[in-house]
Amino acid sequence: MDDFNCTKGIPSSDFCMSALLKHASLVYTHTLFRDFEDEFKYAMASDIENLYAEGSNFIYRVCLNGIIGSDQRVYFNKLDSIVYCECKNFNESGWLCFNCIRVLHAHSYKQIPKKYISTRWTRLAKKEVWEKYDKEKREKGEINNFTPWRLHMIRRYYNLIIKSHKLEEARKVIEESFRKASITVENIIKKEEAKQLAAAKQAAEKEANEVVQQAHKDDSNQQIQQASSSTIIVLDPNRAVTKGKDNKRIKGHYDSYKKPSKRGKKRHKEFGSKTPKVHLF
């Protein structure tokens, strides 16, 4: 519902809407604004100490009140509006940690520097905008398909740890749940690896069988070609002579006709040697 209403209005806050918090409500989605609001609460409950200052460069030590070991060093360049914390929360999650927010608030910043507003977490970002942005990042090898889910889960676990680190019982619950989740995830990974190995083995066996079958087929075709090329086709074979018979031609029905005798045949005489009996005049 928050994602649906993120462009419909400005979220409210339990805090007095300072300039920095109000700007966050204008640029971030409702869901991320709640996370930023939690970071802002911790920032307001933190102590800040200046360790170094020269020109526009500063180094601060920020820590939560009464919590030993929570101090972090924050490097700040006022001229270029560059803020960097040793916890590297922005590099991992895409939004500023409470240490950086505390330094910006100490310098009376009314807006979050543009370089620290991730495109994906803005309330007015359209789908095609961050898809194009992610595509460019993915082509450069700076992002993968699992980055959004990973950042989302980092943000949720980070908030849970921040809420529970003061209570020993809560810390034990988180540690135990992490141990159980690790075992379950490892079993799932092993099953998936075994499944992929079996599939790869089956594919290799199938490919080997296909190669063997193709080799047998090629050998068979080659043998057939060699047999066909060595066979001599006789178009006019010699007639076999059966024992006791001659090789004369068998007489047909035309041979049974009687030929005229040459003995009684009269020879023609030369023209004019005999006077015809017919009277011409």
Side-chain angles (χ1 to χ4, degrees):
M1 194 64 180
D2 285 343
D3 294 334
F4 177 77
N5 293 326
C6 66
T7 59
K8 304 299 181 181
I10 299 174
S12 59
S13 175
D14 296 335
F15 277 86
C16 179
M17 294 291 282
S18 64
L20 194 63
L21 195 61
K22 186 175 181 180
H23 181 243
S25 68
L26 293 174
V27 297
Y28 287 136
T29 62
H30 283 210
T31 303
L32 190 67
F33 173 74
R34 299 305 174 193
D35 296 329
F36 185 87
E37 186 182 27
D38 291 339
E39 297 289 343
F40 190 82
K41 291 178 182 178
Y42 288 114
M44 296 301 100
S46 301
D47 292 331
I48 183 170
E49 180 183 356
N50 189 357
L51 301 179
Y52 174 83
E54 183 177 354
S56 60
N57 296 316
F58 300 88
I59 299 177
Y60 293 97
R61 185 179 67 87
V62 182
C63 63
L64 292 171
N65 291 328
I67 299 179
I68 301 175
S70 64
D71 56 318
Q72 297 287 348
R73 286 196 175 189
V74 181
Y75 302 86
F76 178 66
N77 184 293
K78 190 174 183 179
L79 182 63
D80 298 326
S81 298
I82 297 175
V83 60
Y84 173 77
C85 181
E86 291 179 338
C87 70
K88 299 180 181 180
N89 181 75
F90 179 79
N91 297 335
E92 294 293 335
S93 59
W95 65 89
L96 293 174
C97 62
F98 68 88
N99 303 305
C100 295
I101 295 173
R102 182 68 181 89
V103 172
L104 292 177
H105 188 268
H107 284 268
S108 301
Y109 267 69
K110 296 182 179 181
Q111 291 186 354
I112 303 170
K114 189 175 181 180
K115 62 174 66 70
Y116 299 111
I117 300 176
S118 299
T119 306
R120 175 172 295 280
W121 306 127
T122 55
R123 63 194 300 268
L124 297 178
K126 294 183 179 180
K127 185 177 180 180
E128 56 268 22
V129 174
W130 57 261
E131 280 185 350
K132 181 180 179 181
Y133 176 80
D134 286 350
K135 183 179 179 181
E136 295 176 354
K137 290 286 187 180
R138 195 174 292 110
E139 290 175 353
K140 295 179 181 179
E142 299 176 2
I143 193 173
N144 55 53
N145 294 329
F146 305 104
T147 300
W149 176 84
R150 187 175 61 190
L151 294 178
H152 178 67
M153 295 305 296
I154 289 173
R155 175 159 51 90
R156 296 180 66 181
Y157 271 99
Y158 177 78
N159 292 335
L160 184 61
I161 292 171
I162 291 297
K163 292 178 181 178
S164 61
H165 71 279
K166 296 181 181 180
L167 302 175
E168 184 179 358
E169 185 177 356
R171 292 199 301 268
K172 289 182 179 179
V173 170
I174 292 177
E175 292 173 358
E176 181 65 20
S177 63
F178 176 79
R179 186 185 66 81
K180 292 180 180 179
S182 298
I183 296 173
T184 305
V185 170
E186 288 294 334
N187 293 334
I188 293 174
I189 292 174
K190 289 180 180 179
K191 289 181 181 179
E192 186 65 23
E193 290 177 349
K195 188 186 297 183
Q196 293 178 359
L197 183 62
K201 185 178 180 180
Q202 186 177 1
E205 291 178 354
K206 183 179 180 181
E207 184 177 359
N209 293 333
E210 290 178 354
V211 171
V212 172
Q213 292 177 1
Q214 185 66 30
H216 289 329
K217 187 177 180 180
D218 294 341
D219 293 341
S220 301
N221 294 336
Q222 187 176 2
Q223 291 176 2
I224 292 173
Q225 291 178 359
Q226 291 176 356
S228 61
S229 61
S230 61
T231 302
I232 301 175
I233 301 176
V234 181
L235 299 178
D236 189 14
N238 295 328
R239 291 187 293 272
V241 179
T242 308
K243 185 177 180 181
K245 294 185 178 181
D246 56 8
N247 199 21
K248 293 182 179 181
R249 184 176 62 83
I250 301 174
K251 294 182 178 182
H253 61 280
Y254 291 104
D255 297 325
S256 61
Y257 293 156
K258 293 182 179 182
K259 297 181 179 180
S261 178
K262 296 182 179 180
R263 294 179 181 179
K265 187 176 180 180
K266 296 180 180 181
R267 296 182 178 181
H268 297 287
K269 295 181 179 181
E270 186 178 355
F271 180 75
S273 62
K274 184 179 179 180
T275 304
K277 296 181 181 181
V278 181
H279 296 284
L280 298 177
F281 307 102

